[in-house]
Amino acid sequence: MINGSRRRAFFAVGGATVLAIVLAACGGTANNAGGGSSPAAVTPVDIHLMVGGLNKQIYLPNMLAKQLGYFDDQKINVTLVDEGSGQGTELEVVAGNVDAGSGAYSHPIELNALGKKIETICQFGIAPGEAEMVASSKAASIKSAADLKGKKLGVTDIGSGTHTISLALLGKAGYKGSDASFVAVGAGNTFIAAIKNGTIDAGMTTEPTITRLLQSGDAKVLIDLRTPETTRAALGGDYPFIGIFAKNDWVSSHKDVAQRLVNVYVKTLKWMKAHTAEEIAAKMPADYLVPSKDLYISALKNQLAIFGTDCKMPAAGPQTVLSILQNYVSSFKGKNANLSETYTNEFANKAS
């Protein structure tokens, strides 16, 4: 059921393939294992989970859970599908092409206003882990969000979570989204190239791209969203970002599978909390540690605080995200969302 040119990489996880092959890949997982059940007593399930950038550190818990064997522990045979942005992920979840996705919490709110219901079942990113980077050649004239007016601003994709945050920064400085030009430049090498060749003057990106730009001297941090504290200062409140979401009707009909999925992430987050950046990096695939392991570790140290420990949604976070969408995103003007339908702590509360 996975197709299209954007699906660039697949990572199969888990054993028990003999039983798993009788289960449908998308939406056909069995619904017979509660959160308190012994893993030995549950039926293996297949899950396709799309991630808005597997090698971005803000999405780290997805691959780390695989590397630690925690999907195996819950008898989940997961295929991690690499997608360039969280926006692309939400569309594939809505279309039913994947069971679940990993992306920004703003997407469930935006879709809810359109009558398309997906909900976050694990909020592992309690702050964005992003930074607005300004090209060093432009740093003398761009010293605050107010100076972004009239500039070319890079985002992962138009309509992405980085785009929403960028609009909020402009809005809080007193400007409309139309007062700047937004350019979809992705992340990693493509973002760095856009900074270096002048395609963009500044842009919102993640680690380890941030640290790569700092170490090369090609860009400087203008606005830092890599800790909950700096995020509150910039956006006016808690801004939950990356988590795991699925269609509401899939969650309601696959509660046992959803519980097992959340169990995986809670265990992963607790492991992260108990280990150093060096120990976390040691568990990641070698090709994630670019351009070097030392840089990857340095980048991770800058933002470990964005990861929660229990998959629960920050209490005031949903209202902050909704308010930002209503106030600063032109396509969301005059719209509203039922926040209770956009996330649930049900599974986090039961996770062991």
Side-chain angles (χ1 to χ4, degrees):
M1 297 181 70
I2 309 296
N3 51 55
S5 61
R6 289 183 304 180
R7 256 64 81 209
R8 294 192 299 273
F10 299 79
F11 299 86
V13 183
T17 56
V18 175
L19 286 176
I21 59 176
V22 303
L23 301 170
C26 296
T29 45
N31 188 20
N32 62 351
S37 301
S38 166
V42 302
T43 303
V45 294
D46 281 355
I47 294 242
H48 282 80
L49 195 155
M50 181 171 278
V51 182
L54 268 170
N55 62 358
K56 299 175 188 175
Q57 287 188 351
I58 57 173
Y59 290 96
L60 183 149
N62 293 292
M63 182 55 72
L64 180 60
K66 179 247 182 186
Q67 296 292 94
L68 292 172
Y70 291 164
F71 288 110
D72 291 345
D73 292 347
Q74 292 290 321
K75 298 292 185 70
I76 296 174
N77 183 50
V78 68
T79 299
L80 297 177
V81 186
D82 195 7
E83 168 56 53
S85 76
Q87 184 193 27
T89 298
E90 69 168 57
L91 297 176
E92 296 301 314
V93 171
V94 170
N97 291 332
V98 291
D99 298 296
S102 186
Y105 171 62
S106 56
H107 298 313
I109 295 180
E110 292 167 323
L111 289 169
N112 188 271
L114 299 175
K116 300 176 181 180
K117 298 180 181 180
I118 68 173
E119 62 181 329
T120 293
I121 60 174
C122 169
Q123 188 63 50
F124 61 67
I126 58 174
E130 307 261 358
E132 184 71 16
M133 303 297 291
V134 58
S136 295
S137 61
K138 305 292 178 65
S141 60
I142 303 176
K143 298 182 177 180
S144 70
D147 297 324
L148 296 175
K149 180 183 180 183
K151 301 301 189 294
K152 296 174 294 184
L153 305 181
V155 294
T156 307
D157 200 359
I158 303 302
S160 66
T162 56
H163 190 192
T164 297
I165 295 173
S166 300
L167 289 169
L169 296 177
L170 268 178
K172 287 183 174 295
Y175 299 110
K176 303 186 296 293
S178 58
D179 288 326
S181 299
F182 289 94
V183 185
V185 294
N189 290 337
T190 54
F191 186 96
I192 292 171
I195 282 280
K196 293 175 72 171
N197 64 28
T199 299
I200 58 175
D201 302 309
M204 183 71 63
T205 194
T206 61
E207 292 284 14
T209 305
I210 297 168
T211 297
R212 289 177 64 186
L213 285 165
L214 291 173
Q215 291 194 3
S216 69
D218 290 312
K220 299 180 179 181
V221 174
L222 181 68
I223 300 168
D224 199 339
L225 304 173
R226 289 176 294 173
T227 70
E229 293 76 20
T230 58
T231 297
R232 294 181 194 118
L235 299 177
D238 284 320
Y239 194 93
F241 204 52
I242 303 302
I244 303 298
F245 49 61
K247 293 172 71 173
N248 293 45
D249 56 4
W250 184 92
V251 174
S252 64
S253 63
H254 295 79
K255 283 184 176 290
D256 303 330
V257 178
Q259 183 65 64
R260 288 154 66 181
L261 196 58
V262 174
N263 290 347
V264 167
Y265 285 95
V266 170
K267 191 172 182 179
T268 301
L269 293 171
K270 291 186 181 302
W271 188 94
M272 290 177 65
K273 187 68 173 179
H275 291 79
T276 65
E278 289 84 357
E279 291 168 328
I280 294 169
K283 294 293 184 179
M284 301 304 289
D287 60 352
Y288 279 43
L289 310 180
V290 292
S292 71
K293 185 175 182 179
D294 286 344
L295 186 144
Y296 189 91
I297 291 170
S298 294
L300 187 55
K301 287 179 178 178
N302 290 332
Q303 62 167 0
L304 272 177
I306 72 166
F307 297 107
T309 59
D310 55 13
C311 275
K312 295 179 182 179
M313 179 68 71
Q319 185 58 53
T320 300
V321 178
L322 176 61
S323 296
I324 282 175
L325 288 167
Q326 290 173 326
N327 291 326
Y328 306 122
V329 180
S330 59
S331 61
F332 205 85
K333 294 287 186 181
K335 295 181 180 178
N336 203 352
N338 183 343
L339 293 179
S340 67
E341 295 176 340
T342 63
Y343 75 96
T344 179
N345 286 327
E346 174 186 352
F347 306 105
N349 287 334
K350 296 177 182 177
S352 56

Coordinates of all heavy atoms in Angstrom, one line a residue, residues 109-172:
I109 N -4.3 19.4 14.4 CA -5.2 20.6 14.6 C -5.7 21.1 13.3 O -6.9 21.4 13.1 CB -4.5 21.7 15.5 CG1 -4.2 21.2 16.9 CG2 -5.4 23.0 15.5 CD1 -3.5 22.2 17.7
E110 N -4.8 21.3 12.4 CA -5.1 21.8 11.0 C -6.1 20.9 10.3 O -7.1 21.4 9.7 CB -3.9 22.0 10.2 CG -2.9 23.1 10.7 CD -1.6 23.0 10.0 OE1 -1.1 21.9 9.8 OE2 -1.0 24.0 9.8
L111 N -5.9 19.6 10.4 CA -6.8 18.7 9.8 C -8.2 18.6 10.4 O -9.2 18.5 9.8 CB -6.2 17.3 9.7 CG -5.0 17.2 8.7 CD1 -4.3 15.9 9.0 CD2 -5.5 17.3 7.3
N112 N -8.2 18.7 11.8 CA -9.4 18.7 12.5 C -10.4 19.8 12.1 O -11.6 19.6 12.0 CB -9.2 18.8 14.0 CG -10.4 18.5 14.9 OD1 -11.2 19.5 15.2 ND2 -10.6 17.3 15.2
A113 N -9.8 21.0 11.8 CA -10.6 22.1 11.3 C -11.2 21.9 10.0 O -12.2 22.5 9.6 CB -9.8 23.4 11.3
L114 N -10.7 20.9 9.2 CA -11.2 20.5 7.9 C -12.1 19.3 8.0 O -12.5 18.8 7.0 CB -10.0 20.3 7.0 CG -9.1 21.4 6.7 CD1 -7.9 21.0 5.9 CD2 -9.8 22.6 6.0
G115 N -12.3 18.8 9.2 CA -13.2 17.6 9.4 C -12.4 16.3 9.1 O -13.0 15.3 9.0
K116 N -11.1 16.4 9.1 CA -10.3 15.2 8.9 C -9.6 14.9 10.2 O -8.7 15.7 10.6 CB -9.3 15.4 7.8 CG -9.9 15.7 6.4 CD -8.9 16.0 5.4 CE -9.5 16.3 4.0 NZ -8.5 16.6 3.0
K117 N -9.9 13.8 10.8 CA -9.5 13.6 12.2 C -8.4 12.6 12.4 O -8.5 11.4 12.1 CB -10.7 13.2 13.1 CG -11.8 14.2 13.1 CD -13.0 13.8 13.9 CE -14.1 14.8 13.9 NZ -15.3 14.4 14.7
I118 N -7.2 13.2 12.8 CA -6.1 12.3 13.3 C -5.7 12.9 14.6 O -6.0 14.0 15.0 CB -4.9 12.4 12.3 CG1 -4.2 13.8 12.3 CG2 -5.3 12.0 10.9 CD1 -2.9 13.8 11.5
E119 N -5.2 12.0 15.5 CA -4.9 12.4 16.8 C -3.5 11.9 17.2 O -3.0 10.9 16.8 CB -5.9 11.9 17.8 CG -6.1 10.4 17.9 CD -7.1 9.9 18.9 OE1 -7.4 10.7 19.9 OE2 -7.7 8.9 18.7
T120 N -2.8 12.7 18.0 CA -1.5 12.4 18.6 C -1.7 11.4 19.8 O -2.4 11.8 20.7 CB -0.7 13.6 19.0 OG1 -0.4 14.4 17.8 CG2 0.5 13.3 19.7
I121 N -1.1 10.3 19.7 CA -1.2 9.3 20.8 C 0.0 9.3 21.7 O 0.0 8.7 22.8 CB -1.5 7.9 20.3 CG1 -0.4 7.4 19.3 CG2 -2.9 7.9 19.6 CD1 -0.6 5.9 18.9
C122 N 1.1 9.8 21.2 CA 2.3 10.0 22.0 C 3.0 11.3 21.6 O 3.4 11.5 20.4 CB 3.3 8.8 21.7 SG 5.0 9.1 22.4
Q123 N 3.1 12.2 22.5 CA 3.8 13.5 22.3 C 5.2 13.4 22.9 O 5.4 13.5 24.1 CB 3.0 14.6 22.9 CG 3.6 16.0 22.5 CD 3.4 16.3 21.0 OE1 2.4 16.1 20.5 NE2 4.5 16.7 20.4
F124 N 6.2 13.0 22.0 CA 7.5 12.9 22.6 C 8.4 14.1 22.5 O 9.4 14.3 23.2 CB 8.3 11.7 22.1 CG 8.5 11.6 20.6 CD1 9.4 12.5 20.0 CD2 7.9 10.6 19.8 CE1 9.7 12.4 18.6 CE2 8.2 10.5 18.5 CZ 9.1 11.4 17.8
G125 N 8.0 15.1 21.6 CA 8.7 16.3 21.5 C 7.9 17.4 22.1 O 6.9 17.9 21.6
I126 N 8.4 17.9 23.3 CA 7.6 18.9 24.0 C 8.1 20.3 23.7 O 7.6 21.3 24.2 CB 7.7 18.7 25.5 CG1 9.2 18.7 26.0 CG2 7.1 17.3 25.9 CD1 9.4 18.6 27.5
A127 N 9.0 20.4 22.8 CA 9.5 21.7 22.2 C 10.0 21.4 20.8 O 10.3 20.3 20.5 CB 10.6 22.4 23.0
P128 N 10.0 22.4 19.9 CA 10.3 22.2 18.5 C 11.7 21.6 18.2 O 11.9 20.8 17.3 CB 10.2 23.5 17.8 CG 9.2 24.3 18.7 CD 9.6 23.8 20.1
G129 N 12.8 22.0 19.0 CA 14.1 21.5 18.6 C 14.6 22.1 17.3 O 15.4 21.5 16.6
E130 N 14.1 23.3 17.0 CA 14.4 24.0 15.8 C 15.2 25.3 16.1 O 15.2 25.7 17.3 CB 13.2 24.4 15.0 CG 12.2 23.2 14.8 CD 12.4 22.6 13.4 OE1 13.2 23.2 12.6 OE2 11.7 21.6 13.1
A131 N 15.7 25.9 15.1 CA 16.3 27.3 15.3 C 16.1 28.0 14.0 O 16.2 27.4 12.9 CB 17.7 27.2 15.7
E132 N 15.9 29.3 14.1 CA 15.9 30.2 12.9 C 17.3 30.6 12.7 O 17.9 31.3 13.5 CB 15.0 31.4 13.1 CG 14.9 32.3 11.9 CD 14.1 31.8 10.7 OE1 13.3 30.8 11.0 OE2 14.2 32.3 9.6
M133 N 17.9 30.1 11.6 CA 19.3 30.4 11.3 C 19.4 31.5 10.2 O 18.6 31.5 9.3 CB 20.0 29.1 10.7 CG 19.9 27.9 11.6 SD 20.7 28.1 13.2 CE 22.4 28.1 12.6
V134 N 20.4 32.4 10.4 CA 20.6 33.4 9.5 C 21.9 33.3 8.8 O 22.9 33.0 9.5 CB 20.4 34.8 10.2 CG1 21.4 35.0 11.3 CG2 20.6 36.0 9.1
A135 N 22.0 33.4 7.5 CA 23.3 33.3 6.8 C 24.3 34.3 7.4 O 23.9 35.5 7.7 CB 23.1 33.6 5.3
S136 N 25.5 33.9 7.6 CA 26.5 34.8 8.3 C 26.7 36.0 7.5 O 26.9 37.1 8.0 CB 27.8 34.0 8.4 OG 27.7 32.9 9.3
S137 N 26.5 36.0 6.2 CA 26.7 37.1 5.3 C 25.6 38.2 5.5 O 25.7 39.3 5.1 CB 26.8 36.7 3.8 OG 25.6 36.1 3.4
K138 N 24.5 37.7 6.1 CA 23.3 38.6 6.3 C 23.1 38.9 7.8 O 22.2 39.7 8.2 CB 22.0 37.9 5.8 CG 22.1 37.5 4.3 CD 22.2 38.7 3.4 CE 22.3 38.3 1.9 NZ 21.1 37.6 1.4
A139 N 24.0 38.4 8.7 CA 23.8 38.5 10.1 C 23.8 39.9 10.6 O 23.2 40.3 11.6 CB 24.8 37.6 10.9
A140 N 24.6 40.8 9.9 CA 24.7 42.2 10.4 C 23.4 42.9 10.2 O 23.2 43.9 11.0 CB 25.8 42.9 9.6
S141 N 22.6 42.5 9.2 CA 21.4 43.2 9.0 C 20.1 42.5 9.5 O 19.0 43.1 9.5 CB 21.2 43.5 7.5 OG 21.2 42.3 6.7
I142 N 20.3 41.3 9.9 CA 19.2 40.5 10.4 C 19.5 40.1 11.9 O 20.2 39.1 12.1 CB 18.9 39.2 9.6 CG1 18.6 39.6 8.1 CG2 17.7 38.4 10.2 CD1 18.4 38.4 7.2
K143 N 19.0 40.9 12.8 CA 19.4 40.7 14.2 C 18.2 40.3 15.1 O 18.4 40.0 16.3 CB 20.0 42.0 14.8 CG 21.3 42.3 14.0 CD 21.9 43.6 14.6 CE 23.3 43.9 14.0 NZ 23.9 45.1 14.6
S144 N 17.0 40.3 14.5 CA 15.8 39.9 15.3 C 14.7 39.5 14.3 O 14.9 39.6 13.1 CB 15.3 41.1 16.1 OG 14.7 42.1 15.2
A145 N 13.6 39.0 14.9 CA 12.5 38.5 14.0 C 12.0 39.7 13.2 O 11.5 39.4 12.0 CB 11.4 37.9 14.9
A146 N 12.0 40.9 13.7 CA 11.5 42.0 12.9 C 12.3 42.2 11.6 O 11.8 42.8 10.7 CB 11.6 43.3 13.8
D147 N 13.5 41.8 11.6 CA 14.4 42.0 10.4 C 14.1 41.0 9.4 O 14.8 41.0 8.3 CB 15.9 42.0 10.8 CG 16.2 43.1 11.8 OD1 15.7 44.2 11.6 OD2 17.1 42.9 12.7
L148 N 13.2 40.0 9.6 CA 12.9 39.0 8.6 C 12.0 39.5 7.6 O 11.8 38.9 6.5 CB 12.3 37.8 9.3 CG 13.3 37.0 10.3 CD1 12.5 35.9 11.0 CD2 14.5 36.5 9.6
K149 N 11.4 40.7 7.8 CA 10.5 41.2 6.8 C 11.2 41.4 5.5 O 12.3 42.0 5.4 CB 9.9 42.6 7.3 CG 9.0 43.2 6.3 CD 8.5 44.6 6.8 CE 7.5 45.2 5.8 NZ 7.1 46.6 6.2
G150 N 10.5 41.0 4.4 CA 11.1 41.2 3.1 C 12.2 40.2 2.7 O 12.7 40.2 1.6
K151 N 12.5 39.2 3.6 CA 13.6 38.3 3.4 C 13.1 37.0 2.8 O 11.9 36.6 2.8 CB 14.3 38.0 4.7 CG 14.9 39.3 5.3 CD 15.9 40.0 4.4 CE 16.7 41.1 5.1 NZ 15.8 42.2 5.5
K152 N 14.0 36.2 2.2 CA 13.7 34.9 1.7 C 14.0 33.9 2.8 O 15.1 33.7 3.3 CB 14.6 34.6 0.5 CG 14.4 35.5 -0.7 CD 15.4 35.2 -1.8 CE 16.8 35.6 -1.4 NZ 17.8 35.5 -2.5
L153 N 12.9 33.2 3.3 CA 13.0 32.4 4.5 C 12.9 30.9 4.1 O 11.9 30.5 3.5 CB 12.0 32.8 5.5 CG 12.0 34.2 5.9 CD1 10.9 34.5 7.0 CD2 13.4 34.7 6.4
G154 N 13.8 30.1 4.5 CA 13.7 28.6 4.2 C 12.9 27.9 5.2 O 13.0 28.1 6.4
V155 N 12.1 26.9 4.7 CA 11.3 26.0 5.6 C 11.4 24.6 5.0 O 11.8 24.5 3.8 CB 9.8 26.4 5.7 CG1 9.7 27.7 6.4 CG2 9.2 26.5 4.3
T156 N 11.1 23.6 5.8 CA 11.2 22.3 5.2 C 10.3 22.1 4.0 O 10.7 21.6 3.0 CB 10.8 21.2 6.3 OG1 11.5 21.5 7.5 CG2 11.0 19.8 5.8
D157 N 9.1 22.5 4.1 CA 8.1 22.5 3.0 C 7.1 23.5 3.3 O 6.8 23.9 4.5 CB 7.5 21.1 2.9 CG 6.9 20.8 1.6 OD1 6.9 21.7 0.7 OD2 6.4 19.7 1.4
I158 N 6.4 24.0 2.3 CA 5.3 24.9 2.5 C 4.1 24.2 3.2 O 3.7 23.2 2.7 CB 4.8 25.5 1.2 CG1 6.0 26.2 0.4 CG2 3.7 26.5 1.4 CD1 6.7 27.3 1.2
G159 N 3.7 24.8 4.3 CA 2.6 24.1 5.1 C 3.2 23.2 6.2 O 2.4 22.6 6.9
S160 N 4.5 23.1 6.2 CA 5.1 22.2 7.2 C 5.1 22.9 8.6 O 4.7 24.0 8.8 CB 6.5 21.9 6.9 OG 7.3 23.1 6.9
G161 N 5.5 22.1 9.6 CA 5.6 22.6 11.0 C 6.6 23.8 11.1 O 6.3 24.7 11.8
T162 N 7.7 23.7 10.3 CA 8.6 24.8 10.3 C 8.1 26.0 9.7 O 8.4 27.1 10.1 CB 9.9 24.4 9.6 OG1 9.6 24.0 8.3 CG2 10.6 23.2 10.3
H163 N 7.2 25.9 8.7 CA 6.5 27.0 8.1 C 5.6 27.7 9.1 O 5.6 28.9 9.3 CB 5.7 26.5 6.9 CG 5.2 27.7 6.0 ND1 4.3 27.4 5.1 CD2 5.4 29.0 6.0 CE1 4.0 28.6 4.5 NE2 4.7 29.5 5.1
T164 N 4.8 26.9 9.9 CA 3.9 27.5 10.9 C 4.7 28.3 11.9 O 4.3 29.4 12.3 CB 3.1 26.3 11.5 OG1 2.3 25.7 10.6 CG2 2.2 26.9 12.7
I165 N 5.8 27.7 12.4 CA 6.6 28.4 13.4 C 7.2 29.7 12.9 O 7.2 30.7 13.6 CB 7.7 27.5 14.0 CG1 7.1 26.3 14.7 CG2 8.6 28.3 14.9 CD1 8.1 25.3 15.2
S166 N 7.6 29.6 11.7 CA 8.2 30.8 11.0 C 7.1 31.9 10.9 O 7.4 33.1 11.1 CB 8.8 30.5 9.6 OG 9.8 29.5 9.7
L167 N 5.9 31.6 10.5 CA 4.8 32.5 10.4 C 4.6 33.1 11.8 O 4.3 34.3 11.9 CB 3.6 31.8 9.9 CG 3.6 31.5 8.4 CD1 2.4 30.6 8.1 CD2 3.6 32.7 7.5
A168 N 4.6 32.3 12.9 CA 4.4 32.8 14.2 C 5.5 33.8 14.6 O 5.2 34.9 15.2 CB 4.4 31.7 15.2
L169 N 6.7 33.6 14.3 CA 7.8 34.5 14.6 C 7.6 35.8 13.9 O 7.8 36.9 14.5 CB 9.2 33.9 14.2 CG 9.6 32.6 15.0 CD1 10.9 32.1 14.5 CD2 9.6 32.9 16.5
L170 N 7.2 35.8 12.6 CA 6.9 37.0 11.9 C 5.8 37.7 12.5 O 5.8 38.9 12.7 CB 6.6 36.7 10.4 CG 7.7 36.7 9.4 CD1 7.2 36.3 8.0 CD2 8.4 38.0 9.3
G171 N 4.7 37.0 12.8 CA 3.5 37.6 13.4 C 3.7 38.2 14.7 O 3.2 39.3 15.0
K172 N 4.5 37.6 15.6 CA 4.8 38.2 16.9 C 5.7 39.5 16.7 O 5.7 40.3 17.7 CB 5.5 37.2 17.8 CG 4.5 36.1 18.3 CD 5.1 35.1 19.2 CE 4.1 34.2 19.8 NZ 3.1 34.9 20.7

